[in-house]
Amino acid sequence: MPDDRSEWYDPSAVETRWQARWEARGTNAYSTDELRSPERPFYNLMMFPYPSAEGLHVGNIYAFTGADVHGRFQQLQGHQVFEPIGFDAFGIHSENFALKVGTHPMELIPANVANFTRQLRRIGGMFDWAHTLDTTHPDYYRWTQWLFLQLYKGGLAERKEAPVNWCPSCMTVLANEQVVSGLCERCDSAVEQRRIAQWFFRITDYAQRLLDNLETLDWSETTKKAQRNWIGRSEGALLRFPVLGVEPTSDLLESVSESGEGKTREGHLLLEVFTTRPDTIFGATYMVLAPEHPLVDALTTSEQREAVQSYREKAARMDLVARKKEEKEKTGVFTGGYCRNPATGEEIPVWVADYVLMEYGTGAIMAVPGHDERDFQFARTFELPVPRVVAGPEHQADTPLDEAYTGPGRLVNSGDFDGMEVEVGKAKITAWLEEKDLAVARVNYRLHDWCISRQRYWGPPIPIVYCDRCGAVPVPEDQLPVVLPRVEDFKPDDSGVSPLARVREWYETECPECGSDARRETDVSDTFLDSAWYFLRYPSTDLDDVAFDPEITRSWLPVDCYIGGNEHAVLHLLYSRFITMALKDLGHLDFEEPFTRFRAHGLIIREGSKMSKSKGNVVVPDPIIEEYGADTFRLYLMFLGPFEEGGDYRDSGIQGPFGFLKRLWDTVVPVADLDGDDPDPDVERKLHQTIEQVTAQVPELGYNTSIAAMMEYLNVVRAEGRRARRGEVEPLIPLLAPFCPHIAEELWARLGHDESIFEGANWPDFDPVKTQEDRVTLAVQVNGKLRGTVELPTGAAEDDALALARAEPNVARHLDDGELRRVIYVPDRLLNLVVG
RNA sequence: GCCGGGGUGGCGGAACGGUAGACGCAGGGGACUUAAAAUCCCCCGGGCUUUGGCCCAUGUGGGUUCGAAUCCCACCCCCGGCACCA
């Protein structure tokens, strides 16, 4: 019961009181036993924040509130809702900030976490604080390391060399996102490429499954689309072109064939390319190798060696991002070498050009300038021939090409295949070359294996030990965690290896297998790995002997509803799906998709742009909550616009929701002690309509319109200064409770309820009969233009409506214009009279 | 360039193909007050008007329909993502 019977609405008193009560009663916290045997479990998840030094920003609060509203709604519908929150505190972001302010992250992070926790409690989310987590805590990353070991054992983790962006001034590896048009985003120095041995997860093995399963998921369509694009499936063929004049040494054979077969033909080395247009092979007039391609040296003739060499060096110096700028002019160098086009039998020159990327396909292409825009541009630049092999509906076989033609049509200048439609030609030509063992149909994906190595300090050490005798040896599970040591000088340096490589007493160890001297892996893992499995950990944080308990996991997962930002549409969500699938295949889970339903929230805009420190348009939430209370702030944020689209934040706008809560208080408090008398019939009808609308819209995240409906209802209750009856306002409280949990609790208690409103299935039912109007206003149109309205009983007959309409002077006047030709009657809505 | 999502009053936004602008902000007027705040009431897309009404209006131009913000076609603009992926 409320102990403070204040007559006026004092948000901070109400909110402090209820937050203390939830805490004392454990309203939102589950015991381990409760987690083991839920009856109607609902796992309500939101993306956990990175605990920055600035504290929670409005964008965080917006996302969390939207998710919390959904969770509280489910709770009021009788589900047991598990709504955890935690902290994603590892990573380059924290590390750079720590370097900047000169405080060690091991001190910075706990302070930030404490501040975030205070703010998160203040906004009134139904978080289970007994099951929170922090990815930087050894109790958590021990299991992140365990996860690495499971993938390693399952053959899904491997070490290989790969190019990375390197900033020579910051002396560190940069992610692609940190390179802005070839320059380091922080210091503007030119970024270069380095090759470093790193750990990869074989996510590409799962490409097709990741793509196929999307069909089964209830996710925002935009998110699914982003994943499809990222996976980038394309169907085509691997084609093999005999290389002329090159001795097929065993070294070369080692490096050329991706498909692992048919490396030579009649003494010729075969060059493999991937194409989606095998139908255009008769138009392949030259070949292009990526500068890094292993065959470049072998193909280059002595006359060309110097030019090729300098071109390759230039390409190597360029960063990976600037390489991919499309506006860039096409550049390249002739190697001096030739291949034979297996379709035409012609000898065609082999070039090196940076528009061909080593990481896609085989790093080599057959160039068909007539029917590929890039090849066309290149051919133009270097004055290479551009034959036509596809004719569109308006073309002849000899119609010249002044741009690449990529549309549909039939094959021309293609020997026996002339006249075939492009799609037919693809299959026929592939089959023809397959017979000669020069082709194999192939699906290629844009998706790359996931590089999880970071040459940085602030992350979980990868649990591997290198032994001269045994090679790379996984750290035994019972020796986890491999604790990240406290290192005062954690600044990255020019060596290209992690700062941990400077900590001899840490990396020197003994081989777990043979006991001889060995060295720990000094790279740490990607932050995305921390967040790729955190939802599995939440319900099991009470347990320290497993990553996640099988029984608890079966009860609560997969996640019923996940809400977060679409900026994670690809990486985080794709990695989480991959890890879940891998864990299922490895026997640790019995489901393979982690998030049954996912919705992306919109962005909050202020003064025309996204809130950011540099724009100076950020809103600091604490003073607003101080002044108006968390309930008002929550309500305002949810009222701004459709949750999935975001909204425009205006400082003065908060007055609307604040006034609404004050009026609600003033309406309910005076009637709280009265016995329930029957609602006024008109008000009751509106009440049932409101319940119907809110019940339908809240689960669909239609928050702004639900709030508008409640405002409208309160306006009806208070119309012309009338005093509410108890039965009119009591059902409104649970409708509002997901948005404004504190005031809802307070008013619920004042209405005489002893238990928390969230402790029972208190969502009200509506009676469809009671939502029905008995009289309606019918719009009357003449020739489609509104000329008046008439009021009549619901479901009135057309004749009655017509008679009434004719009696309307303004309608009658317009009917004089001619003869009534047609009557369109939509019962209870509209009558349209067509005259002419 | 490609893929999403959008263009509706001064502003945020509502509208199963059926009275465009719900709900709210801002603004204007009034009541209460010595005054202010708070609260309450009224007005609030534009133009014309004999105050009965009439016309225009949902990015632009066409179309379908008795009727289009909503469906179709073409185009313009804004936001977000991807971008030499063969």
Side-chain angles (χ1 to χ4, degrees):
Chain A
M1 287 302 285
D3 19 54
D4 169 6
R5 310 235 53 176
S6 165
E7 290 310 307
W8 64 89
Y9 177 41
D10 177 357
S12 75
V14 169
E15 292 175 6
T16 310
R17 179 156 62 242
W18 283 98
Q19 283 169 11
R21 259 176 225 180
W22 293 333
E23 183 66 22
R25 294 176 182 175
T27 305
N28 303 316
Y30 287 94
S31 67
T32 315
D33 283 347
E34 285 168 330
L35 285 171
R36 281 190 189 283
S37 52
E39 276 163 34
R40 294 184 65 198
F42 190 97
Y43 191 164
N44 191 52
L45 185 68
M46 61 200 81
M47 289 181 179
F48 64 164
Y50 152 69
S52 68
E54 291 84 29
L56 273 185
H57 54 81
V58 175
N60 293 135
I61 297 179
Y62 181 69
F64 298 153
T65 301
D68 186 58
V69 169
H70 192 261
R72 289 188 180 276
F73 171 76
Q74 295 294 343
Q75 182 88 15
L76 287 159
Q77 295 253 309
H79 286 103
Q80 285 155 279
V81 175
F82 178 55
E83 184 174 299
I85 192 84
F87 303 98
D88 187 17
F90 262 140
I92 197 163
H93 204 96
S94 307
E95 189 177 318
N96 286 347
F97 185 78
L99 284 169
K100 197 172 118 194
V101 299
T103 308
H104 197 279
M106 285 181 178
E107 278 142 32
L108 207 55
I109 294 301
N112 292 352
V113 165
N115 187 39
F116 261 63
T117 303
R118 177 188 63 76
Q119 290 181 303
L120 286 166
R121 285 178 185 271
R122 187 65 190 86
I123 64 170
M126 56 180 299
F127 302 120
D128 181 347
W129 289 105
H131 294 91
T132 186
L133 60 81
D134 169 350
T135 55
T136 67
H137 200 286
D139 289 349
Y140 181 84
Y141 71 69
R142 165 187 184 175
W143 300 113
T144 306
Q145 292 170 336
W146 172 87
L147 179 63
F148 174 92
L149 295 177
Q150 304 317 304
L151 269 76
Y152 180 81
K153 282 185 211 156
L156 292 171
E158 61 180 351
R159 197 159 179 262
K160 59 187 182 190
E161 244 191 32
V164 292
N165 295 303
W166 179 262
C167 171
S169 156
C170 301
M171 295 183 292
T172 182
V173 163
L174 299 177
N176 283 351
E177 302 78 61
Q178 295 174 299
V179 181
V180 180
S181 57
L183 305 176
C184 170
E185 77 170 346
R186 282 195 297 159
C187 70
D188 276 350
S189 21
V191 171
E192 38 187 74
Q193 264 188 73
R194 285 192 178 187
R195 289 186 74 82
I196 297 181
Q198 320 198 57
W199 285 95
F200 286 82
F201 283 165
R202 302 172 56 101
I203 189 172
T204 51
D205 289 2
Y206 286 76
Q208 192 62 48
R209 221 159 124 197
L210 288 165
L211 188 64
D212 291 343
N213 279 8
L214 284 175
E215 306 303 325
T216 69
L217 298 178
D218 176 14
W219 283 24
S220 303
E221 205 45 51
T222 58
T223 312
K224 290 209 259 187
K225 188 76 194 173
Q227 294 217 342
R228 283 191 198 105
N229 289 345
W230 189 263
I231 293 167
R233 180 193 150 99
S234 50
E235 280 182 30
L238 280 178
L239 303 181
R240 305 196 182 100
F241 285 64
V243 177
L244 304 173
V246 173
E247 191 70 16
T249 63
S250 59
D251 273 5
L252 284 177
L253 288 173
E254 193 76 1
S255 58
V256 288
S257 173
E258 234 204 271
S259 64
E261 48 190 82
K263 293 176 180 181
T264 59
R265 165 62 39 90
E266 291 157 4
H268 292 298
L269 197 65
L270 292 172
L271 172 61
E272 255 182 348
V273 301
F274 174 73
T275 181
T276 54
R277 297 295 305 273
D279 53 308
T280 62
I281 190 170
F282 285 85
T285 49
Y286 63 100
M287 310 291 286
V288 186
L289 302 179
E292 303 87 349
H293 196 281
L295 274 188
V296 173
D297 270 336
L299 269 156
T300 303
T301 55
S302 48
E303 303 86 76
Q304 294 298 105
R305 188 153 309 276
E306 202 176 315
V308 169
Q309 213 44 49
S310 88
Y311 186 80
R312 292 182 89 184
E313 278 162 22
K314 216 172 75 202
R317 258 183 277 117
M318 221 183 291
D319 72 283
L320 296 171
V321 176
R323 260 283 290 276
K324 298 184 183 180
K325 281 282 164 224
E326 197 178 354
E327 313 86 67
K328 211 184 65 166
E329 283 251 321
K330 292 278 179 289
T331 59
V333 181
F334 177 45
T335 60
Y338 289 85
C339 278
R340 185 179 306 287
N341 181 327
T344 61
E346 276 170 28
E347 292 186 9
I348 58 177
V350 181
W351 289 65
V352 174
D354 67 3
Y355 81 93
V356 173
L357 307 173
M358 195 59 218
E359 69 261 25
Y360 187 79
T362 63
I365 60 158
M366 66 171 196
V368 184
H371 308 284
D372 179 283
E373 279 159 32
R374 297 149 302 178
D375 297 342
F376 182 86
Q377 274 184 37
F378 189 85
R380 270 287 154 90
T381 306
F382 294 100
E383 295 173 345
L384 299 164
V386 183
R388 174 186 288 279
V389 289
V390 177
E394 285 146 31
H395 304 139
Q396 303 302 315
D398 55 359
T399 310
L401 286 148
D402 49 12
E403 59 180 350
Y405 177 72
T406 55
R410 62 215 141 68
L411 301 184
V412 294
N413 303 320
S414 296
D416 296 345
F417 301 93
D418 277 358
M420 272 179 202
E421 287 300 318
V422 161
E423 287 310 314
V424 179
K426 280 181 186 174
K428 295 279 187 195
I429 289 183
T430 304
W432 173 59
L433 290 170
E434 248 169 352
E435 261 170 46
K436 307 207 260 176
D437 204 21
L438 289 173
V440 52
R442 166 80 166 242
V443 174
N444 205 44
Y445 300 90
R446 182 190 166 280
L447 183 68
H448 286 47
D449 276 335
W450 174 13
C451 174
I452 59 136
S453 299
R454 294 293 178 272
Q455 293 74 38
R456 282 292 198 134
Y457 169 67
W458 194 233
I462 292 172
I464 290 285
V465 167
Y466 299 101
C467 164
D468 286 340
R469 212 176 305 170
C470 312
V473 180
V475 174
E477 287 178 27
D478 60 12
Q479 290 177 25
L480 298 180
V482 177
V483 176
L484 179 71
R486 175 158 179 142
V487 176
E488 293 312 322
D489 172 25
F490 55 90
K491 211 173 162 202
D493 68 19
D494 189 44
S495 61
V497 293
S498 161
L500 289 176
R502 300 195 293 263
V503 190
R504 173 177 297 210
E505 61 279 16
W506 181 79
Y507 69 69
E508 282 188 345
T509 184
E510 57 187 46
C511 172
E513 271 176 21
C514 72
S516 51
D517 288 349
R519 182 187 164 102
R520 289 190 186 282
E521 167 67 66
T522 53
D523 282 357
V524 298
S525 60
D526 183 7
T527 334
F528 278 111
L529 183 58
D530 305 326
S531 57
W533 74 283
Y534 76 112
F535 48 90
L536 294 171
R537 180 62 185 164
Y538 277 137
S540 297
T541 53
D542 294 333
L543 308 169
D544 58 11
D545 58 340
V546 283
F548 43 90
D549 177 81
E551 188 193 341
I552 293 176
T553 303
R554 225 183 334 270
S555 300
W556 290 92
L557 283 117
V559 168
D560 294 283
C561 180
Y562 193 20
I563 286 177
N566 222 13
E567 67 274 18
H568 293 119
V570 175
L571 298 180
H572 163 60
L573 289 171
L574 197 68
Y575 292 151
S576 299
R577 295 180 61 214
F578 159 64
I579 291 293
T580 305
M581 269 179 205
L583 285 172
K584 187 201 177 205
D585 290 355
L586 297 170
H588 296 287
L589 293 174
D590 54 10
F591 56 91
E592 64 179 44
E593 284 294 341
F595 315 122
T596 306
R597 186 173 189 243
F598 172 77
R599 290 293 181 274
H601 64 252
L603 290 178
I604 298 293
I605 300 298
R606 183 162 175 256
E607 290 161 5
S609 51
K610 190 175 150 181
M611 287 189 202
S612 71
K613 249 196 301 186
S614 59
K615 293 241 170 58
N617 62 346
V618 287
V619 172
V620 182
D622 298 60
I624 299 171
I625 293 172
E626 179 86 10
E627 184 176 355
Y628 297 97
D631 282 339
T632 293
F633 195 47
R634 290 167 60 109
L635 191 63
Y636 177 46
L637 290 175
M638 295 303 99
F639 186 60
L640 280 179
F643 185 64
E644 291 175 75
E645 286 165 38
D648 203 337
Y649 188 98
R650 278 179 85 201
D651 296 359
S652 61
I654 199 167
Q655 294 302 337
F658 187 48
F660 170 71
L661 292 186
K662 280 193 288 193
R663 283 193 294 281
L664 178 72
W665 180 277
D666 292 344
T667 310
V668 175
V669 167
V671 301
D673 295 326
L674 305 178
D675 287 334
D677 52 339
D678 288 339
D680 173 273
D682 287 336
V683 175
E684 189 182 35
R685 186 181 316 111
K686 186 72 180 172
L687 171 65
H688 283 264
Q689 290 171 349
T690 304
I691 298 172
E692 180 177 28
Q693 187 183 343
V694 175
T695 305
Q697 289 184 337
V698 168
E700 295 306 316
L701 316 186
Y703 297 153
N704 58 331
T705 47
S706 294
I707 294 165
M710 289 186 271
M711 289 176 166
E712 214 176 313
Y713 175 63
L714 188 65
N715 290 345
V716 168
V717 170
R718 291 167 57 89
E720 287 154 28
R722 75 182 282 279
R723 185 186 165 99
R725 300 185 193 168
R726 185 190 158 106
E728 294 167 359
V729 290
E730 188 162 358
L732 179 60
I733 307 307
L735 296 188
L736 183 70
F739 300 94
C740 305
H742 313 87
I743 193 175
E745 287 276 32
E746 180 72 20
L747 294 176
W748 193 246
R750 289 191 186 223
L751 285 162
H753 300 277
D754 294 330
E755 292 211 316
S756 162
I757 194 171
F758 299 105
E759 271 161 25
N762 285 315
W763 194 262
D765 290 322
F766 65 93
D767 180 346
V769 176
K770 290 185 177 166
T771 63
Q772 297 297 316
E773 303 280 352
D774 43 9
R775 291 187 73 75
V776 291
T777 305
L778 191 76
V780 181
Q781 297 182 339
V782 178
N783 287 341
K785 293 205 169 180
L786 185 74
R787 298 302 178 190
T789 59
V790 293
E791 205 179 285
L792 72 183
T794 307
E798 179 174 328
D799 289 349
D800 299 341
L802 187 56
L804 263 176
R806 282 183 186 281
E808 275 295 301
N810 199 42
V811 174
R813 199 156 59 83
H814 284 92
L815 287 179
D816 290 345
D817 294 350
E819 195 183 325
L820 185 60
R821 296 189 185 276
R822 192 172 165 190
V823 177
I824 286 115
Y825 181 55
V826 183
D828 302 338
R829 299 224 62 134
L830 153 146
L831 182 70
N832 188 10
L833 308 173
V834 184
V835 296

